[in-house]
Amino acid sequence: QVQLVESGGGLVQAGGSLRLSCAASGSISTFTVMGWYRQPPGKERELVAVILSGGYTSYVDSVKGRFSISRDNAANTVYLQMNSLKPEDTAVYYCKAKKLLEEYWGQGTQVTVSS
């Protein structure tokens, strides 16, 4: 069982930056996929970015060029660097870890971008 704890959310003005962290209670090196999801108010949860164990990354079109996902296996942490934030980025951001049939979610961290 692995626990994921997100941090780094908060209130920021449009155009600002935040870095989210997802700290795992155990090793993340065996997780093939680590990802960040978000759920805007009144909407469905959506995938934002993923990073595979080999370092491949993928992003939803709306954040390409602004967000960057990275993982530090030694620190058991995944990061999401968010730049040029927009009000439409406002959401609860969740971290997810997946390998084979195992899947874990964090509790989420709120990101609010004011215009």
Side-chain angles (χ1 to χ4, degrees), residues 1-53:
Q1 187 80 7
V2 173
Q3 292 185 329
L4 304 175
V5 179
E6 300 97 335
S7 62
L11 173 64
V12 64
Q13 287 188 331
S17 299
L18 286 174
R19 188 173 85 151
L20 305 183
S21 299
C22 171
S25 60
S27 174
I28 66 169
S29 62
T30 59
F31 286 96
T32 53
V33 182
M34 301 292 298
W36 285 96
Y37 290 70
R38 67 186 180 187
Q39 186 164 16
K43 296 185 179 180
E44 297 291 317
R45 190 175 298 189
E46 64 175 358
L47 175 64
V48 176
V50 293
I51 183 166
L52 306 187
S53 54

Side-chain angles (χ1 to χ4, degrees), residues 78-111:
V78 178
Y79 303 97
L80 184 68
Q81 178 66 44
M82 306 187 295
N83 299 325
S84 302
L85 282 161
K86 303 175 181 180
E88 51 263 44
D89 295 318
T90 294
V92 178
Y93 284 71
Y94 298 90
C95 176
K96 175 182 168 181
K98 181 177 175 63
K99 59 178 177 179
L100 295 177
L101 298 180
E102 295 180 50
E103 184 175 289
Y104 302 97
W105 289 89
Q107 83 291 345
T109 185
Q110 176 71 46
V111 171

